[in-house]
Amino acid sequence: MITFWCFTREFEAFTRGFGALLVSLGVLLVSLGVLLVNSAILLVNFGLLLVNFGALLVNGRYS
């Protein structure tokens, strides 16, 4: 009975550690997803900046 109690205690510690590992991996994946979304937004903003600058050149504001 003592060995079974130790086994369940060790198993509980293992499951807590594994759960903490899964939580940290999930947080890492969420932060990577936020980074990818931010870089995509940055690329879209840079493209819009180029479009606006090209429109200004077409309209002859800088020529």
Side-chain angles (χ1 to χ4, degrees), residues 23-54:
V23 166
S24 62
L25 283 177
V27 168
L28 180 67
L29 285 178
V30 166
S31 62
L32 283 176
V34 168
L35 182 67
L36 286 176
V37 167
N38 283 331
S39 62
I41 290 172
L42 182 67
L43 286 176
V44 167
N45 285 329
F46 186 68
L48 288 175
L49 180 69
L50 288 179
V51 166
N52 286 325
F53 187 68

